[in-house]
Amino acid sequence: MASKFEPKVPVKLDPPKDDLITLEELAKADGSEGKKAYVAIKGKVYDVTGNKMYQTGGNYNVFVGKDASRALAKSSTKPEDVQAEWKDLDEKERGVLNDWITFFSKRYNIVGVVQGATNME
C-alpha cells in the first residue's frame, strides 16, 4: 500500500529537522512574494515551496502557513477546516490524515516542528 505514495520522480530529501518554528514564523511562510511555503501536519513542518499548487493562487494555498491537519484528514480545502486539531476525528479521517503524512514525508523536507504544538502523536 505504501508504494502508491511514491513520487513519480525520485526525491532526494534532507534529514528531518526538529528546529522549533513559532506559529508566527509558520504564518509568515505563506509562499507570497518569493517567501518559503510551509505546511504543518500534526505539528511537523514541511517545506512545500517548490510546488506551484501551494503558491499564491494554487489550489492548496489555503494550507500554507498553517497546520492543516484537520482539513487534510477531511479532504477539505475550506478555510474553516484548516486547523491543527485532529484528535476528535473518526478512524477513517485519521487514516486519511496518516496517508497525507506518508505522502508529504516522501516529497517534502521536514524543516522543523511547531513550537508548543499540542496535536502531535
Side-chain angles (χ1 to χ4, degrees), residues 11-21 37-48 100-114 120:
V11 178
K12 185 181 182 320
L13 296 172
D14 297 330
K17 294 182 180 177
D18 59 2
D19 298 346
L20 293 179
I21 296 174
Y38 291 167
V39 173
I41 307 171
K42 287 188 178 179
K44 288 186 180 178
V45 181
Y46 297 85
D47 184 347
V48 299
W100 276 113
I101 290 170
T102 301
F103 181 88
F104 270 68
S105 67
K106 291 180 179 290
R107 287 165 177 76
Y108 307 114
N109 287 310
I110 295 173
V111 295
V113 295
V114 177
M120 300 178 82

Side-chain angles (χ1 to χ4, degrees), residues 9 24 30 32-33 38 46 50-51 53 64-65 67 72 84 95 98 102:
V9 177
E24 182 179 82
D30 64 2
S32 67
E33 300 174 10
Y38 291 167
Y46 297 85
N51 188 327
M53 297 294 288
V64 178
D67 189 312
L72 291 169
N98 288 331
T102 301

Side-chain angles (χ1 to χ4, degrees), residues 53-70:
M53 297 294 288
Y54 294 93
Q55 300 302 317
T56 303
N59 291 345
Y60 301 137
N61 181 255
V62 66
F63 304 138
V64 178
K66 303 171 187 77
D67 189 312
S69 298
R70 185 176 204 83

Side-chain angles (χ1 to χ4, degrees), residues 81-96:
D81 288 332
V82 182
Q83 301 175 34
E85 188 51 54
W86 58 270
K87 292 181 180 177
D88 63 326
L89 298 173
D90 64 35
E91 286 304 310
K92 181 179 178 189
E93 291 169 326
R94 287 176 180 225
V96 170

